[in-house]
Amino acid sequence: MTLPATDSLPADQPLTTTQQLQLLLSQVIVGQHQPCSLHEIAAATDLSVQTLAKLVNGQTRDPRLDTLRRLCQFYGISLDYFAGETTAACQAYLNQQRLITAPEVVQEIAHQTQHLSQRSQDNLHIILQWLEANQSVFT
């Protein structure tokens, strides 16, 4: 099953829980080259593919806390992610979490680029994500 595209979500418009989940499940896990499939997530979280499909398709509007905890554990984040009300806030949270576990050189680059505009920081982050996902190409 293909996840709905999240790049068309307006940055400042409030998100539903379904949209937050779609954004989360579209993330690339460290060491992967693309987002995990629902089957991979289901196997790792002990959730059913059906449950995940209902979540990302909006058929389940209020997921159980245990379900959210399992997904957060899988993605290495806390439930604080769901406090983000917009795409920008959720993406900023994910970027910050990714930065915490990033190699020291990436952390230094992020620190040195704090004076850049938000758009420039976002663009640089996209480049770093691409490099991280394609690191095997360079080694």
Side-chain angles (χ1 to χ4, degrees):
M1 170 181 199
T2 306
L3 294 173
T6 57
D7 54 351
S8 62
L9 295 174
D12 58 350
Q13 200 167 20
L15 292 179
T16 64
T17 304
T18 297
Q19 291 170 321
Q20 288 176 312
L21 287 164
Q22 290 169 351
L23 180 61
L24 180 61
L25 272 59
S26 72
Q27 300 302 300
V28 176
I29 302 246
V30 174
Q32 300 285 330
H33 298 286
Q34 60 188 15
C36 293
S37 70
L38 292 185
H39 291 283
E40 292 169 320
I41 297 168
T45 60
D46 202 26
L47 295 169
S48 72
V49 174
Q50 261 185 324
T51 295
L52 293 172
K54 286 180 179 179
L55 287 171
V56 298
N57 290 327
Q59 294 171 326
T60 302
R61 295 181 193 264
D62 295 315
R64 294 179 37 209
L65 181 58
D66 182 60
T67 301
L68 296 178
R69 283 185 180 145
R70 290 176 191 214
L71 290 170
C72 287
Q73 184 176 17
F74 178 74
Y75 284 95
I77 63 171
S78 74
L79 288 168
D80 291 340
Y81 167 77
F82 292 99
E85 296 180 0
T86 63
T87 302
C90 288
Q91 193 62 58
Y93 176 86
L94 293 170
N95 292 345
Q96 183 62 34
Q97 291 304 116
R98 193 173 287 120
L99 184 59
I100 290 169
T101 60
E104 196 172 308
V105 67
V106 174
Q107 291 181 18
E108 181 60 27
I109 290 169
H111 176 72
Q112 291 179 7
T113 59
Q114 288 179 346
H115 69 281
L116 296 175
S117 70
Q118 186 60 50
R119 182 174 179 168
S120 295
Q121 288 181 34
D122 292 344
N123 288 337
L124 183 59
H125 179 74
I126 290 167
I127 292 168
L128 291 173
Q129 278 184 311
W130 183 87
L131 288 171
E132 181 179 50
N134 293 289
Q135 66 186 342
S136 62
V137 173
F138 301 105
T139 56

